[in-house]
Amino acid sequence: MSVLDRFKLQGKTALVTGCRRGIGKGMALALAEAGADIVGVSAQLEDGGGEVGREVTALGRSFRGYRCDFADRQAVYACIAKIKAECAPIDILVNNAGTILRKPAVEHPDEYWDRVVNVNLNSQFILAREFGKDMVARKNGKIIFTASLLTFQGGITVPGYAASKGGIGQLTMALSNEWAQYGVNVNAIAPGYIATDNTAALRADADRSQAILARIPAGRWGEPSDLQGAVVFLASPASNYVNGTIVTVDGGWMGR
């Protein structure tokens, strides 16, 4: 197999959560362009898959869309059962869905904490376990989590988000330790400051935005397309000996 052929995903089915917009949409399109059929799940995904569904099919790949509230554990289990009943076996799981709620720690309510941890960590473990057990049985599969710079740092006014993303880093390594021997690669991507809805409040704050840009060696906010190369690599045979790694795509932030 040539080097370039090792990045191809023909014949694979990828499940991408949080696929409707931003980073998740960019990842879904990258995997489709590399040859994978896409199963997309988002809390507010339009009937028929909306824009991401249309763009995936325009690339010549199939798209099946599902709605799921990742803060609702029973909804997560129901969605998993439906996907397993209706779709081809999942070869690639991209656990990308996430949320963020901002309030200083002394004012951070239980409701904020519970929702963020349920969406960002609890549901991701359930998805990884339920699809991962099938990959372990087949002795082949790829699981990719979306981590964060706050997997490594504490952030400001987002204690639930920081805790959940720190947990994602540990979960990536824990699952890799168990499943690498069965041919299942578990890794994560930690995006830097990417221009998405989640960072809109930061970009709207002139002082905060300038402080962030001043620390990024690349001198700009990232775009969802900046994550596409990393996700295709981690989803493909090119990464078969990459296990338990968190790949930072951050314009140099963590090296500063």
Side-chain angles (χ1 to χ4, degrees):
M1 184 183 293
S2 73
V3 170
L4 292 180
D5 284 341
R6 295 180 69 197
F7 287 86
K8 294 180 179 178
L9 300 175
Q10 277 82 3
K12 302 295 185 181
T13 298
L15 168 57
V16 182
T17 69
C19 69
R20 181 172 173 266
R21 59 191 180 187
I23 290 171
K25 180 185 175 186
M27 289 178 169
L29 294 176
L31 296 173
E33 190 169 346
D37 293 320
I38 305 298
V39 178
V41 186
S42 278
Q44 300 178 30
L45 189 65
E46 299 87 349
D47 290 340
E51 186 175 275
V52 64
R54 290 191 293 273
E55 292 186 30
V56 167
T57 55
L59 291 168
R61 311 315 310 168
S62 69
F63 182 91
R64 298 195 69 146
Y66 297 86
R67 276 190 291 267
C68 181
D69 178 0
F70 293 102
D72 181 340
R73 184 166 298 195
Q74 294 310 309
V76 172
Y77 278 113
C79 185
I80 291 168
K82 195 172 176 68
I83 290 170
K84 288 192 177 190
E86 296 179 356
C87 300
I90 300 301
D91 303 294
I92 302 157
L93 170 63
V94 180
N95 257 330
N96 168 74
T99 191
I100 189 167
L101 294 171
R102 302 176 185 277
K103 197 171 278 288
V106 295
E107 304 169 11
H108 209 81
D110 290 352
E111 293 77 13
Y112 276 28
W113 178 275
D114 289 345
R115 179 166 185 83
V116 170
V117 172
N118 280 332
V119 172
N120 292 7
L121 185 58
N122 294 342
S123 69
Q124 307 229 2
F125 170 67
I126 292 169
L127 286 158
R129 183 189 64 207
E130 296 304 306
F131 288 107
K133 66 176 65 173
D134 298 335
M135 296 177 184
V136 167
R138 296 195 304 267
K139 292 185 166 48
N140 185 267
K142 304 280 187 174
I143 297 176
I144 304 161
F145 290 97
T146 296
S148 168
L149 295 183
L150 298 197
T151 300
F152 312 103
Q153 302 174 320
I156 301 170
T157 73
V158 288
Y161 184 84
S164 67
K165 291 301 185 177
I168 286 297
Q170 294 301 117
L171 182 59
T172 297
M173 292 183 283
L175 296 181
S176 176
N177 288 345
E178 294 191 35
W179 295 348
Q181 63 186 311
Y182 300 111
V184 179
N185 299 83
V186 185
N187 293 288
I189 299 171
Y193 285 91
I194 309 298
T196 66
D197 290 348
N198 272 1
T199 59
L202 295 177
R203 287 180 287 119
D205 182 331
D207 291 339
R208 186 85 172 96
S209 180
Q210 181 56 41
I212 288 168
L213 285 173
R215 178 171 163 163
I216 300 173
R220 66 174 177 87
W221 288 77
E223 299 292 337
S225 60
D226 290 314
L227 285 302
Q228 291 182 318
V231 76
V232 170
F233 169 62
L234 292 177
S236 73
S239 64
N240 281 352
Y241 198 57
V242 179
N243 302 88
T245 293
I246 304 170
V247 178
T248 55
V249 182
D250 63 356
W253 175 280
M254 289 301 297
R256 190 64 175 260

